Amino acid sequence: HVIWREDAVDSFFYTREDDGVWREPVAVELPFGTPQYAGLEPDYLYNPQLVADSNGRLHAFWLGEKNALYYSSVLAEEFGIFESWSQRQLLAMSAVAFAAVVDGENNVHLSYVRDVDSEEASSGLYYRKMTGLDFVWGQPLAIYNSAYYRALDTNNANSGIDVVDLPLVGEVDLT
């Protein structure tokens, strides 16, 4: 699967390989780049991070207006069909950096840097997890809060995450 953004025509294009042959590229509407969502500003093409799970599902994350962090997913074979994507979900009101990864059990792990303080949450580094069984996101978990993060923006913030799918040896006490 390959997508690319063409600002000259305000669209994303998509193609994929089937049995060694690339399909003809087509313009597609996607949750992170489509006028189908009312209220989007003219610059509505947002650059996603895509991660795949072993069940053939693609998970998309992107920063939208005012750095709101969004999520949607689709089965890989239905990628170019707008109606097949899950409803766009708001994961954080503000984020300046994020990273996502899928583990061996198809759980999706997300880290993000929040740059604002509000009643909802303080600025800091956050973690969320979606289990591969129910597709429900857990509540945000603050890993580290600091007023320092308020000085960050999308140009100088960075977040990363990785998982290791190895069996644990011995007992682990997380209390």
Side-chain angles (χ1 to χ4, degrees):
H1 299 273
V2 178
I3 64 167
W4 64 95
R5 176 179 167 163
E6 289 195 16
D7 291 338
V9 292
D10 290 329
S11 186
F12 280 98
F13 282 79
Y14 167 71
T15 187
R16 74 182 209 202
E17 181 184 23
D18 285 323
D19 298 323
V21 177
W22 285 95
R23 291 184 175 191
E24 185 69 27
V26 294
V28 291
E29 294 202 25
L30 302 164
F32 44 85
T34 177
Q36 288 200 33
Y37 283 113
L40 291 179
E41 295 181 9
D43 183 18
Y44 59 85
L45 299 176
Y46 302 110
N47 295 323
Q49 177 189 352
L50 300 173
V51 294
D53 67 27
S54 63
N55 288 329
R57 181 165 289 277
L58 296 171
H59 304 270
F61 301 85
W62 69 97
L63 295 179
E65 296 175 50
K66 299 180 182 175
N67 290 336
L69 177 57
Y70 290 98
Y71 165 81
S72 184
S73 70
V74 68
L75 289 172
E77 66 263 10
E78 298 174 355
F79 186 91
I81 304 169
F82 180 81
E83 294 77 18
S84 295
W85 283 82
S86 66
Q87 182 67 31
R88 170 174 87 157
Q89 294 179 14
L90 177 65
L91 296 181
M93 292 296 291
S94 181
V96 290
F98 66 92
V101 67
V102 177
D103 67 23
E105 296 178 352
N106 292 315
N107 300 310
V108 182
H109 304 267
L110 172 71
S111 68
Y112 63 94
V113 176
R114 182 179 166 83
D115 65 327
V116 296
D117 289 326
S118 69
E119 291 181 19
E120 171 196 336
S122 300
S123 57
L125 176 64
Y126 286 81
Y127 169 81
R128 290 187 82 168
K129 177 181 174 183
M130 181 183 71
T131 64
L133 298 175
D134 59 13
F135 298 106
V136 175
W137 284 98
Q139 292 298 311
L141 173 65
I143 301 298
Y144 181 74
N145 293 107
S146 171
Y148 161 78
Y149 289 108
R150 295 184 305 199
L152 297 176
D153 62 28
T154 56
N155 295 318
N156 60 13
N158 192 7
S159 180
I161 191 167
D162 207 348
V163 295
V164 177
D165 287 323
L166 296 175
L168 295 175
V169 177
E171 293 184 24
V172 177
D173 183 6
L174 299 176
T175 58

mmCIF file of all heavy atoms in Angstrom, residues 6-46:
data_model
loop_
_atom_site.group_PDB
_atom_site.id
_atom_site.type_symbol
_atom_site.label_atom_id
_atom_site.label_comp_id
_atom_site.label_asym_id
_atom_site.label_seq_id
_atom_site.Cartn_x
_atom_site.Cartn_y
_atom_site.Cartn_z
ATOM 1 N N GLU A 6 -0.803 15.137 -2.798
ATOM 2 C CA GLU A 6 -0.560 16.085 -3.880
ATOM 3 C C GLU A 6 -1.334 17.360 -3.578
ATOM 4 O O GLU A 6 -2.539 17.447 -3.817
ATOM 5 C CB GLU A 6 -0.952 15.493 -5.233
ATOM 6 C CG GLU A 6 -0.011 14.397 -5.679
ATOM 7 C CD GLU A 6 -0.149 14.040 -7.148
ATOM 8 O OE1 GLU A 6 -0.751 14.833 -7.920
ATOM 9 O OE2 GLU A 6 0.351 12.966 -7.514
ATOM 10 N N ASP A 7 -0.610 18.341 -3.024
ATOM 11 C CA ASP A 7 -1.239 19.594 -2.621
ATOM 12 C C ASP A 7 -1.802 20.374 -3.797
ATOM 13 O O ASP A 7 -2.769 21.121 -3.646
ATOM 14 C CB ASP A 7 -0.248 20.461 -1.851
ATOM 15 C CG ASP A 7 0.082 19.873 -0.487
ATOM 16 O OD1 ASP A 7 -0.722 19.066 0.022
ATOM 17 O OD2 ASP A 7 1.131 20.228 0.079
ATOM 18 N N ALA A 8 -1.219 20.218 -4.981
ATOM 19 C CA ALA A 8 -1.682 20.963 -6.155
ATOM 20 C C ALA A 8 -3.137 20.648 -6.493
ATOM 21 O O ALA A 8 -3.845 21.487 -7.046
ATOM 22 C CB ALA A 8 -0.788 20.665 -7.353
ATOM 23 N N VAL A 9 -3.580 19.448 -6.161
ATOM 24 C CA VAL A 9 -4.969 19.068 -6.424
ATOM 25 C C VAL A 9 -5.726 18.765 -5.133
ATOM 26 O O VAL A 9 -6.810 18.185 -5.172
ATOM 27 C CB VAL A 9 -5.052 17.860 -7.397
ATOM 28 C CG1 VAL A 9 -4.582 18.260 -8.778
ATOM 29 C CG2 VAL A 9 -4.275 16.675 -6.871
ATOM 30 N N ASP A 10 -5.152 19.151 -3.977
ATOM 31 C CA ASP A 10 -5.792 18.951 -2.672
ATOM 32 C C ASP A 10 -6.308 17.538 -2.483
ATOM 33 O O ASP A 10 -7.480 17.315 -2.155
ATOM 34 C CB ASP A 10 -6.949 19.938 -2.476
ATOM 35 C CG ASP A 10 -6.465 21.357 -2.290
ATOM 36 O OD1 ASP A 10 -5.362 21.539 -1.749
ATOM 37 O OD2 ASP A 10 -7.185 22.288 -2.690
ATOM 38 N N SER A 11 -5.431 16.557 -2.675
ATOM 39 C CA SER A 11 -5.882 15.178 -2.556
ATOM 40 C C SER A 11 -4.732 14.249 -2.178
ATOM 41 O O SER A 11 -3.565 14.558 -2.405
ATOM 42 C CB SER A 11 -6.489 14.713 -3.881
ATOM 43 O OG SER A 11 -7.053 13.425 -3.736
ATOM 44 N N PHE A 12 -5.107 13.113 -1.613
ATOM 45 C CA PHE A 12 -4.200 11.991 -1.446
ATOM 46 C C PHE A 12 -4.439 11.041 -2.610
ATOM 47 O O PHE A 12 -5.569 10.904 -3.096
ATOM 48 C CB PHE A 12 -4.469 11.235 -0.136
ATOM 49 C CG PHE A 12 -3.871 11.889 1.068
ATOM 50 C CD1 PHE A 12 -4.630 12.689 1.890
ATOM 51 C CD2 PHE A 12 -2.534 11.683 1.395
ATOM 52 C CE1 PHE A 12 -4.079 13.282 3.009
ATOM 53 C CE2 PHE A 12 -1.962 12.275 2.505
ATOM 54 C CZ PHE A 12 -2.739 13.077 3.313
ATOM 55 N N PHE A 13 -3.377 10.367 -3.035
ATOM 56 C CA PHE A 13 -3.483 9.343 -4.055
ATOM 57 C C PHE A 13 -3.059 8.017 -3.439
ATOM 58 O O PHE A 13 -2.252 7.978 -2.513
ATOM 59 C CB PHE A 13 -2.621 9.683 -5.275
ATOM 60 C CG PHE A 13 -3.253 10.714 -6.149
ATOM 61 C CD1 PHE A 13 -3.205 12.054 -5.802
ATOM 62 C CD2 PHE A 13 -3.912 10.350 -7.306
ATOM 63 C CE1 PHE A 13 -3.802 13.013 -6.595
ATOM 64 C CE2 PHE A 13 -4.513 11.299 -8.111
ATOM 65 C CZ PHE A 13 -4.455 12.639 -7.755
ATOM 66 N N TYR A 14 -3.600 6.943 -3.981
ATOM 67 C CA TYR A 14 -3.396 5.624 -3.401
ATOM 68 C C TYR A 14 -3.203 4.592 -4.498
ATOM 69 O O TYR A 14 -3.863 4.637 -5.542
ATOM 70 C CB TYR A 14 -4.617 5.259 -2.553
ATOM 71 C CG TYR A 14 -4.709 3.821 -2.136
ATOM 72 C CD1 TYR A 14 -3.836 3.299 -1.189
ATOM 73 C CD2 TYR A 14 -5.660 2.975 -2.692
ATOM 74 C CE1 TYR A 14 -3.920 1.965 -0.796
ATOM 75 C CE2 TYR A 14 -5.759 1.649 -2.300
ATOM 76 C CZ TYR A 14 -4.882 1.149 -1.359
ATOM 77 O OH TYR A 14 -4.957 -0.160 -0.974
ATOM 78 N N THR A 15 -2.311 3.651 -4.232
ATOM 79 C CA THR A 15 -2.153 2.483 -5.088
ATOM 80 C C THR A 15 -1.687 1.324 -4.217
ATOM 81 O O THR A 15 -1.272 1.523 -3.081
ATOM 82 C CB THR A 15 -1.165 2.733 -6.249
ATOM 83 O OG1 THR A 15 -1.200 1.591 -7.119
ATOM 84 C CG2 THR A 15 0.243 2.956 -5.749
ATOM 85 N N ARG A 16 -1.770 0.138 -4.767
ATOM 86 C CA ARG A 16 -1.260 -1.035 -4.063
ATOM 87 C C ARG A 16 -0.867 -2.094 -5.073
ATOM 88 O O ARG A 16 -1.314 -2.075 -6.219
ATOM 89 C CB ARG A 16 -2.249 -1.567 -3.047
ATOM 90 C CG ARG A 16 -3.429 -2.294 -3.646
ATOM 91 C CD ARG A 16 -4.368 -2.728 -2.552
ATOM 92 N NE ARG A 16 -5.088 -3.915 -2.925
ATOM 93 C CZ ARG A 16 -6.224 -4.261 -2.392
ATOM 94 N NH1 ARG A 16 -6.754 -3.524 -1.443
ATOM 95 N NH2 ARG A 16 -6.832 -5.361 -2.753
ATOM 96 N N GLU A 17 -0.081 -3.020 -4.599
ATOM 97 C CA GLU A 17 0.383 -4.109 -5.446
ATOM 98 C C GLU A 17 -0.484 -5.336 -5.193
ATOM 99 O O GLU A 17 -0.740 -5.705 -4.058
ATOM 100 C CB GLU A 17 1.845 -4.423 -5.115
ATOM 101 C CG GLU A 17 2.427 -5.512 -5.961
ATOM 102 C CD GLU A 17 3.844 -5.865 -5.536
ATOM 103 O OE1 GLU A 17 4.207 -5.603 -4.377
ATOM 104 O OE2 GLU A 17 4.570 -6.423 -6.365
ATOM 105 N N ASP A 18 -0.952 -5.928 -6.269
ATOM 106 C CA ASP A 18 -1.707 -7.180 -6.202
ATOM 107 C C ASP A 18 -1.036 -8.192 -7.120
ATOM 108 O O ASP A 18 -0.938 -7.963 -8.336
ATOM 109 C CB ASP A 18 -3.163 -6.979 -6.650
ATOM 110 C CG ASP A 18 -4.002 -6.266 -5.618
ATOM 111 O OD1 ASP A 18 -3.806 -6.505 -4.422
ATOM 112 O OD2 ASP A 18 -4.863 -5.453 -6.025
ATOM 113 N N ASP A 19 -0.575 -9.287 -6.546
ATOM 114 C CA ASP A 19 0.071 -10.359 -7.323
ATOM 115 C C ASP A 19 1.180 -9.832 -8.232
ATOM 116 O O ASP A 19 1.270 -10.198 -9.405
ATOM 117 C CB ASP A 19 -0.972 -11.129 -8.148
ATOM 118 C CG ASP A 19 -1.999 -11.819 -7.273
ATOM 119 O OD1 ASP A 19 -1.614 -12.318 -6.188
ATOM 120 O OD2 ASP A 19 -3.186 -11.849 -7.663
ATOM 121 N N GLY A 20 2.007 -8.939 -7.682
ATOM 122 C CA GLY A 20 3.151 -8.422 -8.425
ATOM 123 C C GLY A 20 2.851 -7.314 -9.411
ATOM 124 O O GLY A 20 3.742 -6.847 -10.108
ATOM 125 N N VAL A 21 1.604 -6.861 -9.470
ATOM 126 C CA VAL A 21 1.223 -5.800 -10.400
ATOM 127 C C VAL A 21 0.657 -4.623 -9.604
ATOM 128 O O VAL A 21 -0.229 -4.797 -8.757
ATOM 129 C CB VAL A 21 0.155 -6.304 -11.409
ATOM 130 C CG1 VAL A 21 -0.287 -5.186 -12.336
ATOM 131 C CG2 VAL A 21 0.680 -7.491 -12.188
ATOM 132 N N TRP A 22 1.195 -3.409 -9.894
ATOM 133 C CA TRP A 22 0.701 -2.207 -9.225
ATOM 134 C C TRP A 22 -0.574 -1.727 -9.882
ATOM 135 O O TRP A 22 -0.673 -1.663 -11.109
ATOM 136 C CB TRP A 22 1.753 -1.103 -9.269
ATOM 137 C CG TRP A 22 2.865 -1.366 -8.303
ATOM 138 C CD1 TRP A 22 4.051 -1.974 -8.565
ATOM 139 C CD2 TRP A 22 2.862 -1.065 -6.914
ATOM 140 N NE1 TRP A 22 4.796 -2.073 -7.413
ATOM 141 C CE2 TRP A 22 4.097 -1.513 -6.372
ATOM 142 C CE3 TRP A 22 1.956 -0.463 -6.050
ATOM 143 C CZ2 TRP A 22 4.440 -1.379 -5.043
ATOM 144 C CZ3 TRP A 22 2.293 -0.322 -4.715
ATOM 145 C CH2 TRP A 22 3.515 -0.777 -4.231
ATOM 146 N N ARG A 23 -1.572 -1.415 -9.053
ATOM 147 C CA ARG A 23 -2.827 -0.857 -9.562
ATOM 148 C C ARG A 23 -2.603 0.585 -10.017
ATOM 149 O O ARG A 23 -1.674 1.250 -9.581
ATOM 150 C CB ARG A 23 -3.889 -0.844 -8.454
ATOM 151 C CG ARG A 23 -4.370 -2.204 -8.059
ATOM 152 C CD ARG A 23 -5.462 -2.062 -7.047
ATOM 153 N NE ARG A 23 -6.038 -3.345 -6.726
ATOM 154 C CZ ARG A 23 -7.146 -3.495 -6.029
ATOM 155 N NH1 ARG A 23 -7.780 -2.452 -5.558
ATOM 156 N NH2 ARG A 23 -7.618 -4.699 -5.783
ATOM 157 N N GLU A 24 -3.506 1.060 -10.862
ATOM 158 C CA GLU A 24 -3.461 2.452 -11.306
ATOM 159 C C GLU A 24 -3.740 3.360 -10.103
ATOM 160 O O GLU A 24 -4.711 3.142 -9.371
ATOM 161 C CB GLU A 24 -4.530 2.685 -12.386
ATOM 162 C CG GLU A 24 -4.500 4.047 -13.016
ATOM 163 C CD GLU A 24 -3.282 4.276 -13.876
ATOM 164 O OE1 GLU A 24 -2.711 3.294 -14.417
ATOM 165 O OE2 GLU A 24 -2.896 5.441 -14.014
ATOM 166 N N PRO A 25 -2.904 4.371 -9.848
ATOM 167 C CA PRO A 25 -3.153 5.280 -8.721
ATOM 168 C C PRO A 25 -4.474 6.018 -8.890
ATOM 169 O O PRO A 25 -4.849 6.401 -10.006
ATOM 170 C CB PRO A 25 -1.979 6.255 -8.780
ATOM 171 C CG PRO A 25 -0.930 5.546 -9.559
ATOM 172 C CD PRO A 25 -1.666 4.688 -10.542
ATOM 173 N N VAL A 26 -5.178 6.212 -7.761
ATOM 174 C CA VAL A 26 -6.448 6.943 -7.774
ATOM 175 C C VAL A 26 -6.472 7.939 -6.625
ATOM 176 O O VAL A 26 -5.870 7.713 -5.573
ATOM 177 C CB VAL A 26 -7.662 5.986 -7.658
ATOM 178 C CG1 VAL A 26 -7.779 5.092 -8.870
ATOM 179 C CG2 VAL A 26 -7.588 5.154 -6.393
ATOM 180 N N ALA A 27 -7.184 9.044 -6.837
ATOM 181 C CA ALA A 27 -7.411 10.011 -5.756
ATOM 182 C C ALA A 27 -8.386 9.375 -4.772
ATOM 183 O O ALA A 27 -9.362 8.737 -5.173
ATOM 184 C CB ALA A 27 -7.972 11.304 -6.315
ATOM 185 N N VAL A 28 -8.096 9.513 -3.467
ATOM 186 C CA VAL A 28 -8.950 8.911 -2.447
ATOM 187 C C VAL A 28 -9.280 9.917 -1.353
ATOM 188 O O VAL A 28 -8.522 10.843 -1.103
ATOM 189 C CB VAL A 28 -8.292 7.670 -1.798
ATOM 190 C CG1 VAL A 28 -8.214 6.522 -2.776
ATOM 191 C CG2 VAL A 28 -6.923 8.000 -1.247
ATOM 192 N N GLU A 29 -10.429 9.716 -0.760
ATOM 193 C CA GLU A 29 -10.801 10.475 0.430
ATOM 194 C C GLU A 29 -10.518 9.586 1.620
ATOM 195 O O GLU A 29 -10.904 8.415 1.651
ATOM 196 C CB GLU A 29 -12.273 10.878 0.364
ATOM 197 C CG GLU A 29 -12.536 11.853 -0.750
ATOM 198 C CD GLU A 29 -13.794 12.661 -0.532
ATOM 199 O OE1 GLU A 29 -14.198 12.823 0.627
ATOM 200 O OE2 GLU A 29 -14.345 13.135 -1.520
ATOM 201 N N LEU A 30 -9.826 10.155 2.598
ATOM 202 C CA LEU A 30 -9.411 9.420 3.782
ATOM 203 C C LEU A 30 -9.757 10.245 5.011
ATOM 204 O O LEU A 30 -9.903 11.464 4.916
ATOM 205 C CB LEU A 30 -7.895 9.161 3.717
ATOM 206 C CG LEU A 30 -7.431 8.381 2.475
ATOM 207 C CD1 LEU A 30 -5.932 8.507 2.287
ATOM 208 C CD2 LEU A 30 -7.859 6.935 2.577
ATOM 209 N N PRO A 31 -9.887 9.629 6.172
ATOM 210 C CA PRO A 31 -10.270 10.396 7.366
ATOM 211 C C PRO A 31 -9.306 11.537 7.693
ATOM 212 O O PRO A 31 -9.690 12.514 8.308
ATOM 213 C CB PRO A 31 -10.257 9.355 8.480
ATOM 214 C CG PRO A 31 -10.406 8.053 7.799
ATOM 215 C CD PRO A 31 -9.763 8.211 6.452
ATOM 216 N N PHE A 32 -8.058 11.437 7.266
ATOM 217 C CA PHE A 32 -7.067 12.471 7.541
ATOM 218 C C PHE A 32 -6.844 13.382 6.336
ATOM 219 O O PHE A 32 -5.930 14.189 6.334
ATOM 220 C CB PHE A 32 -5.736 11.843 7.963
ATOM 221 C CG PHE A 32 -5.324 10.676 7.126
ATOM 222 C CD1 PHE A 32 -4.635 10.852 5.939
ATOM 223 C CD2 PHE A 32 -5.639 9.389 7.527
ATOM 224 C CE1 PHE A 32 -4.275 9.771 5.160
ATOM 225 C CE2 PHE A 32 -5.266 8.294 6.754
ATOM 226 C CZ PHE A 32 -4.589 8.490 5.571
ATOM 227 N N GLY A 33 -7.684 13.286 5.343
ATOM 228 C CA GLY A 33 -7.537 14.139 4.179
ATOM 229 C C GLY A 33 -8.758 14.108 3.297
ATOM 230 O O GLY A 33 -8.744 13.524 2.224
ATOM 231 N N THR A 34 -9.819 14.731 3.744
ATOM 232 C CA THR A 34 -11.056 14.698 2.983
ATOM 233 C C THR A 34 -11.945 15.875 3.354
ATOM 234 O O THR A 34 -11.970 16.301 4.497
ATOM 235 C CB THR A 34 -11.835 13.396 3.249
ATOM 236 O OG1 THR A 34 -13.062 13.450 2.531
ATOM 237 C CG2 THR A 34 -12.144 13.192 4.704
ATOM 238 N N PRO A 35 -12.678 16.401 2.394
ATOM 239 C CA PRO A 35 -13.650 17.445 2.715
ATOM 240 C C PRO A 35 -14.958 16.880 3.267
ATOM 241 O O PRO A 35 -15.863 17.626 3.576
ATOM 242 C CB PRO A 35 -13.880 18.134 1.365
ATOM 243 C CG PRO A 35 -13.589 17.087 0.353
ATOM 244 C CD PRO A 35 -12.510 16.215 0.964
ATOM 245 N N GLN A 36 -15.071 15.562 3.417
ATOM 246 C CA GLN A 36 -16.321 14.971 3.900
ATOM 247 C C GLN A 36 -16.615 15.310 5.360
ATOM 248 O O GLN A 36 -17.734 15.185 5.807
ATOM 249 C CB GLN A 36 -16.308 13.454 3.716
ATOM 250 C CG GLN A 36 -16.452 13.058 2.264
ATOM 251 C CD GLN A 36 -16.910 11.633 2.106
ATOM 252 O OE1 GLN A 36 -17.664 11.118 2.926
ATOM 253 N NE2 GLN A 36 -16.469 10.992 1.044
ATOM 254 N N TYR A 37 -15.578 15.698 6.114
ATOM 255 C CA TYR A 37 -15.821 16.112 7.493
ATOM 256 C C TYR A 37 -16.120 17.596 7.512
ATOM 257 O O TYR A 37 -15.286 18.412 7.136
ATOM 258 C CB TYR A 37 -14.615 15.811 8.384
ATOM 259 C CG TYR A 37 -14.496 14.356 8.751
ATOM 260 C CD1 TYR A 37 -13.449 13.589 8.277
ATOM 261 C CD2 TYR A 37 -15.441 13.753 9.564
ATOM 262 C CE1 TYR A 37 -13.341 12.243 8.608
ATOM 263 C CE2 TYR A 37 -15.347 12.417 9.897
ATOM 264 C CZ TYR A 37 -14.296 11.676 9.418
ATOM 265 O OH TYR A 37 -14.194 10.352 9.736
ATOM 266 N N ALA A 38 -17.308 17.952 7.942
ATOM 267 C CA ALA A 38 -17.700 19.360 7.972
ATOM 268 C C ALA A 38 -16.809 20.135 8.930
ATOM 269 O O ALA A 38 -16.366 19.620 9.950
ATOM 270 C CB ALA A 38 -19.161 19.469 8.412
ATOM 271 N N GLY A 39 -16.553 21.369 8.587
ATOM 272 C CA GLY A 39 -15.806 22.248 9.469
ATOM 273 C C GLY A 39 -14.303 22.216 9.294
ATOM 274 O O GLY A 39 -13.587 22.905 10.001
ATOM 275 N N LEU A 40 -13.790 21.425 8.364
ATOM 276 C CA LEU A 40 -12.356 21.408 8.153
ATOM 277 C C LEU A 40 -11.929 22.673 7.418
ATOM 278 O O LEU A 40 -12.618 23.147 6.529
ATOM 279 C CB LEU A 40 -11.923 20.177 7.354
ATOM 280 C CG LEU A 40 -12.037 18.842 8.062
ATOM 281 C CD1 LEU A 40 -11.581 17.719 7.132
ATOM 282 C CD2 LEU A 40 -11.205 18.821 9.323
ATOM 283 N N GLU A 41 -10.787 23.196 7.813
ATOM 284 C CA GLU A 41 -10.255 24.381 7.151
ATOM 285 C C GLU A 41 -9.757 24.012 5.763
ATOM 286 O O GLU A 41 -9.585 22.834 5.444
ATOM 287 C CB GLU A 41 -9.133 24.967 8.005
ATOM 288 C CG GLU A 41 -9.647 25.472 9.347
ATOM 289 C CD GLU A 41 -8.560 26.085 10.195
ATOM 290 O OE1 GLU A 41 -7.436 26.277 9.695
ATOM 291 O OE2 GLU A 41 -8.847 26.389 11.344
ATOM 292 N N PRO A 42 -9.492 25.006 4.904
ATOM 293 C CA PRO A 42 -9.065 24.705 3.536
ATOM 294 C C PRO A 42 -7.851 23.772 3.462
ATOM 295 O O PRO A 42 -7.773 22.945 2.579
ATOM 296 C CB PRO A 42 -8.734 26.082 2.959
ATOM 297 C CG PRO A 42 -9.575 27.019 3.753
ATOM 298 C CD PRO A 42 -9.664 26.415 5.126
ATOM 299 N N ASP A 43 -6.904 23.896 4.370
ATOM 300 C CA ASP A 43 -5.736 23.015 4.380
ATOM 301 C C ASP A 43 -6.082 21.777 5.202
ATOM 302 O O ASP A 43 -5.698 21.651 6.347
ATOM 303 C CB ASP A 43 -4.527 23.738 4.965
ATOM 304 C CG ASP A 43 -3.278 22.877 4.932
ATOM 305 O OD1 ASP A 43 -3.255 21.891 4.168
ATOM 306 O OD2 ASP A 43 -2.344 23.170 5.680
ATOM 307 N N TYR A 44 -6.813 20.879 4.597
ATOM 308 C CA TYR A 44 -7.359 19.747 5.344
ATOM 309 C C TYR A 44 -6.607 18.449 5.117
ATOM 310 O O TYR A 44 -7.059 17.393 5.518
ATOM 311 C CB TYR A 44 -8.836 19.541 5.000
ATOM 312 C CG TYR A 44 -9.061 19.278 3.528
ATOM 313 C CD1 TYR A 44 -8.948 17.996 3.005
ATOM 314 C CD2 TYR A 44 -9.363 20.315 2.672
ATOM 315 C CE1 TYR A 44 -9.138 17.764 1.657
ATOM 316 C CE2 TYR A 44 -9.550 20.092 1.322
ATOM 317 C CZ TYR A 44 -9.436 18.823 0.824
ATOM 318 O OH TYR A 44 -9.623 18.604 -0.503
ATOM 319 N N LEU A 45 -5.472 18.475 4.460
ATOM 320 C CA LEU A 45 -4.699 17.257 4.236
ATOM 321 C C LEU A 45 -3.683 17.110 5.369
ATOM 322 O O LEU A 45 -2.727 17.866 5.440
ATOM 323 C CB LEU A 45 -3.991 17.296 2.885
ATOM 324 C CG LEU A 45 -4.879 17.409 1.658
ATOM 325 C CD1 LEU A 45 -4.029 17.532 0.403
ATOM 326 C CD2 LEU A 45 -5.816 16.228 1.552
ATOM 327 N N TYR A 46 -3.893 16.156 6.249
ATOM 328 C CA TYR A 46 -3.014 15.954 7.392
ATOM 329 C C TYR A 46 -2.161 14.716 7.154
ATOM 330 O O TYR A 46 -2.644 13.707 6.647
ATOM 331 C CB TYR A 46 -3.836 15.797 8.670
ATOM 332 C CG TYR A 46 -4.726 16.990 8.925
ATOM 333 C CD1 TYR A 46 -6.101 16.892 8.795
ATOM 334 C CD2 TYR A 46 -4.183 18.214 9.263
ATOM 335 C CE1 TYR A 46 -6.918 17.995 9.023
ATOM 336 C CE2 TYR A 46 -4.990 19.318 9.478
ATOM 337 C CZ TYR A 46 -6.363 19.204 9.358
ATOM 338 O OH TYR A 46 -7.151 20.293 9.575
#
